[in-house]
């Protein structure tokens, strides 16, 4: 993916160096178009496979109801958010949830990373603080894992289950390569049609 992105950047540069209205410019533009298509296909492929795997290996999937558009406006987050193709991924999660009968729940993203998933106290941290260390109860975890436990807890509460959060979480890691079959191109979730030309 990163490799195709670099190729995309190079093609973009090459295009901008060509004289306006020239044949070479037209050729360079066609090349750039193909590179764009390649990146968007890879992105979709990754979203579909990962989403299917996540849904198939869990009984419930809870995720943050992120406002991607606002986050992309934030320069520090823009790259990783659009990269992750979050909304695309989310559409597929919801789609596979319906297909495989797995509950999918969007939870409000407020405080998911600041709250301690063990005792519930607020532990302030900036984006660069990668580890959650609770001074109140002593719980230490990777920042993302702590957030994931909060998200799951919220999801379970919404779904009316009782807390089996840690159990479920342990099963999630390292399972993204379980289902690598080809996806049926017809099984597309609702959403805008990407410009493919
Ligand atoms: Zn705590």
């Amino acid at each position: 993916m990163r490799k195709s992105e670099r190729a995309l950047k190079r093609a973009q540069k090459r295009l901008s160096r060509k004289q306006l209205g020239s044949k070479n410019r037209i050729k360079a533009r066609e090349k750039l178009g193909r590179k764009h298509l390649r990146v968007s296909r890879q992105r979709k492929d990754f979203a579909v496979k990962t989403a299917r795997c996540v849904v198939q290996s869990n009984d419930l999937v809870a995720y943050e109801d992120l406002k991607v558009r606002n986050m992309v406006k934030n320069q520090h987050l823009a790259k990783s958010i659009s990269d992750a193709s979050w909304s695309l991924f989310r559409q597929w999660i919801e789609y596979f949830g319906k297909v495989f009968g797995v509950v999918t729940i969007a939870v409000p993203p407020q405080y998911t990373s600041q709250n301690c998933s063990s005792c519930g106290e607020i532990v302030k941290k900036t984006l660069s603080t990668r580890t959650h260390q609770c001074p109140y109860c002593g719980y230490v975890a990777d920042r993302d894992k702590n957030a994931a436990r909060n998200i799951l807890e919220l999801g379970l509460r919404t779904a009316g289950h009782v807390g089996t959060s840690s159990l479920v979480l342990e099963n999630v890691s390292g399972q993204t390569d379980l289902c690598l079959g080809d996806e049926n191109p017809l099984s597309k979730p609702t959403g805008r049609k990407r410009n493919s030309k």
Side-chain angles (χ1 to χ4, degrees), residues 2-124:
R2 289 268 178 259
K3 210 168 139 195
S4 337
E5 276 184 344
R6 276 199 298 276
L8 186 69
K9 218 174 177 179
R10 278 199 300 274
Q12 179 74 60
K13 227 174 238 170
R14 247 176 256 136
L15 170 68
S16 62
R17 280 198 213 104
K18 302 285 185 276
Q19 210 164 28
L20 280 171
S22 69
K23 272 219 172 105
N24 278 338
R25 192 181 174 92
I26 294 170
K27 271 188 226 156
R29 196 170 55 216
E30 276 164 6
K31 270 192 186 152
L32 177 66
R34 280 196 293 275
K35 297 238 155 69
H36 263 298
L37 198 59
R38 190 180 155 77
V39 166
S40 86
R41 279 195 187 127
Q42 282 177 324
R43 212 168 264 163
K44 187 202 153 188
D45 210 49
F46 179 74
V48 172
K49 281 175 182 161
T50 316
R52 189 154 59 104
C53 201
V54 166
V55 169
Q56 282 193 312
S57 48
N58 291 282
D59 299 321
L60 177 145
V61 179
Y63 50 88
E64 282 179 291
D65 193 6
L66 298 173
K67 302 286 174 270
V68 175
R69 222 156 273 172
N70 293 342
M71 293 176 86
V72 172
K73 275 185 210 149
N74 177 337
Q75 283 299 308
H76 301 290
L77 294 173
K79 181 71 182 152
S80 48
I81 298 291
S82 3
D83 252 20
S85 301
W86 175 251
S87 40
L88 184 68
F89 179 60
R90 183 181 163 158
Q91 279 176 4
W92 281 102
I93 287 279
E94 283 158 10
Y95 170 79
F96 284 124
K98 278 187 199 120
V99 170
F100 297 114
V102 169
V103 185
T104 58
I105 306 162
V107 306
Q110 284 80 23
Y111 307 112
T112 45
S113 56
Q114 307 296 325
N115 283 1
C116 174
S117 61
S118 202
C119 69
E121 292 288 340
I122 294 171
V123 183
K124 286 262 175 230

